Amino acid sequence: MTDTTDRTALLATLVALAEAGGDVVWGHFVAGCAVMHKADESPVTIADREAEAVILAGLATLTPAIPVVAEEEAAAGRVPDVTGAFLLVDPLDGTKEFVGRGDDFTVNIALIEGGEPTMGVVYAPARDALYWGDVTRGAWMAARKPHEPRHDEQPIRVRACGGAPCAVASKSHAMPGLDDWLDAGGIATRVSVGSSLKFVLVASGEADVYPRTGPTMEWDTAAGDAVLRAAGGRTLDPDGLPFVYGKPGYRNTGFVATGGYEPAPLRPYLP
């Protein structure tokens, strides 16, 4: 996808569908909904499933040529064959925060090209915050309340790290080896936040680095990672190499997402 018009139109489509999915999620958050569990014991709600259905219906109409790997479809065993570019969808990242009435949950859509997340949208309806980006054009954020037009759009960029770095870490998961990695890097300031918001805090210059020693799935990380890369950041694998997508089972190992901070390899600190 090299044509500027095509990329602009696709990004606009992904933003609009993330907003639509977020509106569905918000409706269930306000009303409350029952929690079920998938085969791996992870929580799932009707909000996950209905938001994903809205997003997939839109993608099937507007981008039918691009395969889609979506979290709830994958849980049901429906995963398309992928040989080129594809989309990753997580309709509700941070289900634990959603169920616990927190505001750290997001809707995520990303485009993967050549193993790299090149375009992505992260919408946090409970925070009235929308982030999106394309590595060929840059990244932006805006205020966006559910069911209302977005406003106050502004470009975002990772910050230079000239002083004491600030790290963001998971709110819901203990990470073996993480404290040791942070201590070795002299990182004393840590902010705890859930979901893909960790990526966009680095992308918007509110933090410097997001290390993760535990496993995730690619749909958990791709959209935030795309926004970060569009904002001038990087995501590295445990050996300090570029973090790639389209791995077997769409499973991630540890990684370090960073802005201007130069991180040490994560490998020695993995469990």
Side-chain angles (χ1 to χ4, degrees):
M1 297 194 62
T2 57
D3 183 86
T4 302
T5 303
D6 288 347
R7 295 194 73 88
T8 300
L10 178 58
L11 184 57
T13 293
L14 300 189
V15 170
L17 290 176
E19 290 176 323
D23 291 345
V24 171
V25 167
W26 179 251
H28 287 291
F29 182 74
V30 171
C33 58
V35 182
M36 298 158 281
H37 289 84
K38 292 184 278 192
D40 63 359
E41 293 303 315
S42 60
V44 63
T45 71
I46 191 66
D48 299 72
R49 292 171 176 169
E50 288 191 0
E52 182 167 295
V54 166
I55 293 168
L56 293 182
L59 292 174
T61 299
L62 299 169
T63 61
I66 307 177
V68 183
V69 177
E71 180 177 15
E72 303 313 322
E73 284 288 287
R78 295 186 289 269
V79 181
D81 292 330
V82 172
T83 56
F86 65 99
L87 292 157
L88 279 166
V89 173
D90 187 345
L92 178 50
D93 185 31
T95 301
K96 290 182 180 179
E97 284 79 14
F98 175 87
V99 171
R101 310 302 295 170
D103 62 3
D104 294 355
F105 56 89
T106 57
V107 177
N108 302 272
I109 309 175
L111 174 69
I112 309 299
E113 297 178 285
E116 176 185 355
T118 60
M119 190 181 294
V121 188
V122 174
Y123 180 35
R127 290 187 171 218
D128 302 334
L130 178 70
Y131 303 83
W132 68 101
D134 178 349
V135 295
T136 70
R137 298 174 55 210
W140 299 266
M141 65 179 294
R144 202 274 184 181
K145 291 181 179 293
H147 302 286
E148 295 185 13
R150 59 183 178 269
H151 59 91
D152 295 337
E153 179 179 322
Q154 58 183 297
I156 57 174
R157 187 80 182 169
V158 299
R159 69 187 183 189
C161 186
C166 172
V168 285
S170 176
K171 178 179 286 186
S172 301
H173 303 278
M175 292 289 110
L178 181 59
D179 287 345
D180 292 337
W181 185 89
L182 292 167
D183 291 343
I187 303 173
T189 304
R190 311 176 192 183
V191 176
S192 180
V193 68
S195 74
S196 56
L197 287 166
K198 294 182 283 292
F199 280 101
V200 297
L201 289 182
V202 178
S204 60
E206 298 177 63
D208 299 293
V209 63
Y210 162 33
R212 176 98 184 192
T213 58
T216 54
M217 301 301 291
E218 292 188 1
W219 46 74
D220 296 322
T221 62
D225 191 358
V227 174
L228 173 63
R229 297 187 196 207
R234 299 169 294 154
T235 299
L236 307 172
D237 74 8
D239 299 307
L241 300 173
F243 196 64
V244 299
Y245 288 74
K247 300 181 292 295
Y250 301 97
R251 297 183 180 277
N252 291 330
T253 57
F255 59 82
V256 180
T258 186
Y261 176 73
E262 193 62 45
L266 196 62
R267 176 68 66 190
Y269 301 90
L270 293 182

